[in-house]
Amino acid sequence: MKIPLSWLKDYVDITLPVEQLAERLTLAGLEVESLTRIGELWDRDKIFVGQILAVTRHPDADRLVLARVAYGAAEPLTVVTGAPNLYPYVGQDLSGGRGPKVAFAIAGARLIDGHSVERKVVTLKAGKIRGVVSQGMVCSEKELDLSDEHEGILILPADAPVGMPLADYLGDIILEFDIKGAFGHLQCVVGIAREIAALTGQTLRHPVPPDYLATPRVPDADFAGIVIRDPDLCLRYSAALIEGVQVGPSPYWMQQRLIRAGMRPINNIVDITNYVMLEIGQPLHAFDYDLLCQRAGGRPTIIMRRAYPGEHLVTLDGVDRELDPDMLMITDTAGTIAVGGVMGGANTEVSDRTSTVLLEAANFDFLSIRRTTQLLKLSSEAGARFGKRVDPELTVAALARAGQLMAELAGGTVRPVYGDVYPNPASEKTITLAPNYVNRLLGIEVPVPEMVRILRALEFGVEEVGRQGGGETSRQGEEGDSLSPCLFVTVPTHRQDVTIPADLVEEIGRVYGYDRMPHTLLQDELPPQRRNLALEGEEKVRDVLVGCGLTEVITYSMIDRRDEARLMRREVPSQEYVTVLNPLSSERAHLRRTLLPGLLNTARANLRFTERVAIFELGRVFYPRPAETLPAELRRVSALLVGPREPVGWQPRDATPLGFFDLKGVVETLLARLELKEAIWERGEHPAMHSGRTARLLVAGREVGHIGELHPLVRVAFDLPSQPVAIMELDLDALLADWGAAAPMTEISNQPPVYEDLAVVVDEAVPAAQVAGLIRQAGGKLLVDLRLFDVYRGGQIPAGKKSLAYSLTFQAVDRTLTDEDTGKLRVRIVGRLARELNATLRA
């Protein structure tokens, strides 16, 4: 949200330098992201408001003219210009102040080069142009760095004071805010001015005419009827009629404010509705009243209802939109005329022919507006504000302010009655607040008068009750006692976020100033520190996988059920999913049961721009529990590798595609870093993985998950390129079940190790892991390391057999092992393998 400082000054006196003001606002929770200075280059002694006294033709150029310009100095100056919007003034009598006001720069002024594509700053110099000395320049918007407009010079309003430095007349500072949270009261100039008034002790000036409440409000006005069929979506609807308007450009000052606030000027009627929305925070919409009457065949009736199935509306942006039955529509008896709270329809928009305007100010359910903007993929300034909760009491105030401006700037006459339907008016909310509760929560002593000042400055009603005795009141606030003063605080309707005493404490604390709170150390005993093994385990897994070169991604928990059907190669019944009651779209209607579809979709999207993807995700999956209200939320970790083994670099690289063994190496590294030693790999089956290229992982006897290469049919279904895609999904809870437990320390031996190799011939079907397990059991404590270094099938090995060669390391803690010691162990190992696996030593 962008707000010009000059606009803020209309409603509150600014007493701080703008940098200090921005810091003070940020500390109070209104983050000022940036300050943009309009006219930063304008030298106060070189660029002025000027007035053209005469325009004559250049004696030696058809497209150039000579302009005589007064700018507050003793003598005017003559400049040469080719601005086409000065041609009509050639030869006219401009005496007596009839000449146009312009932005005038003299020699030495810094300007933007109007003929350069880039933003290039130049210094203006006096010089001859076709034989005539030009002593300055009448400037375009581009040369002043206001816009890219360079076709003509900037014509200022007739009331611009000649001789005033342009920096004082047009200069400004734009504060850009990034306000987090659903705080509708801060989405306007008055809302920010209210905060500044509270922070700096100034008085807030409201722009709304003070007598607007005296105007009659009726549910059935003589110019239009109002019907709210769905009061759960439309909380209030107010309307005003302005007759005899003349549609045209809005004044220059209003256009500048809208532009600087990030909006495009259109015409005076539309600009006024946008101006009032930015000013006080209530979105407005103007209908062409005559078009409404034509549609209705007489006096129109405005109806607020849900859309009918299959209903359509062409919105102001020219798009034909299909409507959802849960969307609120503004309609008349002939059909839809606007999407409530989001955008009006093209069938009743204001045009140059409009002479009577029906002005709408309404209040809508904020969740409904959020849902509608998401479904229609239609963002608007009005929708953004309604989605953050707008004060329902603002509707008539906004009509009064807009009517005042339309009478002044469009020549209209406001009908002295408002149509207003408010089915369920908001009830007054009072919170009892004990000052000692405020001080206990903040940890500092804030004087009671300062609490009262802050709350009243924020427009809370405050009734201060003196010290109580003997429990005179039953409305004591939290932590109050019978001898403490008490504040009865009435919450204004624009503060729908304030519901409990702690909310008021927050308001007092942030306005009083978090920076004024002293830095103190905790004086109490620290509580016992207990490890959060679940969180520590997650972070450890993240660190290891990132260290292996993978990038973490976060995908949606709400998925399209069809993605899992493509993954599993079968239709999964809907009852096996947790279904979202109010999904934003059909693609987000169910909670995921696996992380793999999210990774596959992410890989497909990224492979459009890169040839190598190595990603992982830690997240939760959800399974319904029929006997439980809430589903089971299980932790999973998944990974995906695709592309060349090494990324692009300046050295020659291994372009072999990543595959099963690369991902298996990542998992083995993860197991090693987690110090999980009882891991077993077995042949596995998974519907999403290639048969024969899938392994099942067990840790301490528990199945943890599967890794493998993606099945070709699944790869095609997800539109992935024709190359191996290695994937895994592990049960994080099972993986980390024993992680973090105290591990016995192993004594480090200073005795020399003994290295031996052992090659055995076993049946083809015997897994190498089974052979290694038996060797470890037979070797006992003296076998400190075991590694498979060769698998051989060949002419010297019988058919149906294979040779497995292992490197064995023996070492004792208390002595040097002899050949006799290792010989006995070798015999025991070979005997164990022969008995249980029918293994033989390879010759």
Side-chain angles (χ1 to χ4, degrees), residues 354-427:
T354 300
S355 61
T356 305
V357 170
L358 179 72
L359 194 59
E360 162 198 288
N363 192 269
F364 304 104
D365 174 64
F366 74 103
L367 290 176
S368 171
I369 300 301
R370 289 186 187 180
R371 179 180 181 276
T372 298
T373 55
Q374 290 287 336
L375 285 179
L376 294 180
K377 294 180 173 59
L378 178 61
S379 59
S380 67
E381 292 286 343
R385 282 165 175 78
F386 279 127
K388 294 185 176 181
R389 293 188 177 180
V390 174
D391 179 6
E393 298 297 325
L394 274 181
T395 58
V396 176
L399 292 179
R401 175 61 171 156
Q404 178 192 48
L405 291 172
M406 287 185 185
E408 293 175 3
L409 307 179
T413 301
V414 183
R415 187 74 65 87
V417 64
Y418 298 130
D420 186 31
V421 176
Y422 195 3
N424 302 299
S427 57

Side-chain angles (χ1 to χ4, degrees), residues 721-732:
S722 180
Q723 57 181 312
V725 180
I727 59 173
M728 77 163 186
E729 183 159 78
L730 306 180
D731 183 336
L732 199 58

Side-chain angles (χ1 to χ4, degrees), residues 541-659:
V541 171
R542 281 191 176 91
D543 292 343
V544 173
L545 294 179
V546 169
C548 290
L550 278 68
T551 300
E552 183 177 11
V553 299
I554 300 174
T555 62
Y556 287 109
S557 297
M558 292 175 286
I559 62 162
D560 187 344
R561 190 158 56 97
R562 292 170 295 184
D563 277 348
E564 189 168 335
R566 287 193 285 268
L567 179 76
M568 296 300 180
R569 295 186 289 151
R570 68 178 180 87
E571 192 69 31
V572 182
S574 60
Q575 60 267 25
E576 296 184 20
Y577 286 93
V578 178
T579 304
V580 179
L581 292 178
N582 188 23
L584 292 175
S585 65
S586 60
E587 289 79 17
R588 299 283 180 261
H590 300 85
L591 294 181
R592 64 189 178 190
R593 304 184 335 140
T594 171
L595 305 181
L596 289 174
L599 293 186
L600 293 171
N601 288 326
T602 301
R604 181 183 65 243
N606 281 274
L607 285 171
R608 295 168 53 200
F609 310 104
T610 183
E611 61 178 355
R612 184 179 188 273
V613 173
I615 55 178
F616 75 94
E617 179 174 13
L618 269 78
R620 294 184 182 272
V621 298
F622 306 87
Y623 285 83
R625 294 186 290 188
E628 303 278 347
T629 303
L630 297 177
E633 300 185 27
L634 309 176
R635 297 189 299 165
R636 296 282 190 268
V637 55
S638 291
L640 179 148
L641 304 179
V642 61
R645 179 162 289 142
E646 293 182 1
V648 175
W650 62 275
Q651 290 182 319
R653 61 169 179 159
D654 183 358
T656 306
L658 290 163

Side-chain angles (χ1 to χ4, degrees), residues 16 99 294 306 346 348 402 421 442 476 507 512 701 810:
L16 297 175
Q294 290 175 18
R306 283 177 164 84
T348 55
V421 176
L442 294 179
Q476 284 292 337
E507 295 300 302
Y512 184 76
F810 299 100

Side-chain angles (χ1 to χ4, degrees), residues 788-802:
L788 175 69
F789 68 87
D790 182 57
V791 179
Y792 176 74
R793 301 173 182 86
Q796 299 176 4
I797 305 299
K801 300 281 187 177
K802 63 184 176 184

Side-chain angles (χ1 to χ4, degrees), residues 521-539:
L521 295 176
L522 187 66
Q523 295 181 355
D524 203 352
E525 266 188 46
L526 288 175
Q529 303 299 300
R530 296 183 176 87
R531 297 181 65 185
N532 185 339
L533 290 177
L535 180 60
E536 287 181 33
E538 280 189 21
E539 292 303 313

